[in-house]
Amino acid sequence: MASANVGNLTKKLADAYFTGTFKFLLVSSLPSESDLDTFDFRNDVTNEVAASGSYATGGATVTCTVGAYDATNNRTPVTFGNPAAFTAATISAVGGWIYKSIGSAATDELVAFVDFGGTKTSTADTFTVTLSTPLYINR
């Protein structure tokens, strides 16, 4: 047998990391594969959409819930709630970053990128984001 981590290590790691404040910020272009490998802090993101209406620079707070360890698939789900709708906003975004808010753009830790599958827009209207797929921490 090859060496392996115990299954519930994913749950223990998720419980330890996913505490505190998490936010979601909108961007105007998709990251490249190399960006996904090298970006680590919010200051690496240089294409945030302009603040408009109720959308403020840095995005909005999202809730974070760590689920139960799934022994069948050897993973632990982490689910983020939807940010509040951005009202009276003129926005054009292709996706956004979930990040752990530590204190500044240089210390806020990027967690995941969410691709909208195309450009979503609003013109002086409500811009809504639905985060429906859990992030999985795998063994």
Side-chain angles (χ1 to χ4, degrees):
M1 181 179 136
S3 300
N5 295 321
V6 296
N8 68 2
L9 178 62
T10 64
K11 170 75 169 147
K12 292 175 186 177
L13 291 172
D15 283 339
Y17 182 77
F18 291 102
T19 61
T21 301
F22 289 84
K23 293 189 171 187
F24 184 79
L25 68 84
L26 298 168
V27 294
S28 58
S29 62
L30 297 173
S32 67
E33 284 297 319
S34 64
D35 292 340
L36 295 173
D37 291 334
T38 60
F39 282 16
D40 47 8
F41 298 104
R42 185 167 55 97
N43 64 350
D44 291 321
V45 178
T46 59
N47 59 337
E48 182 176 7
V49 300
S52 174
S54 67
Y55 182 82
T57 301
T61 301
V62 293
T63 60
C64 179
T65 304
V66 176
Y69 173 66
D70 174 355
T72 302
N73 295 301
N74 296 312
R75 64 189 185 184
T76 299
V78 178
T79 305
F80 293 93
N82 299 327
F86 304 110
T87 57
T90 298
I91 293 174
S92 182
V94 298
W97 287 95
I98 297 170
Y99 67 93
K100 186 172 186 175
S101 181
I102 305 295
S104 72
T107 60
D108 292 344
E109 300 170 347
L110 297 176
V111 173
F113 183 78
V114 176
D115 184 344
F116 294 158
T119 303
K120 288 182 62 172
T121 61
S122 66
T123 304
D125 203 354
T126 301
F127 189 95
T128 304
V129 175
T130 302
L131 304 175
S132 59
T133 304
L135 168 70
Y136 290 104
I137 310 301
N138 295 310
R139 180 178 77 172

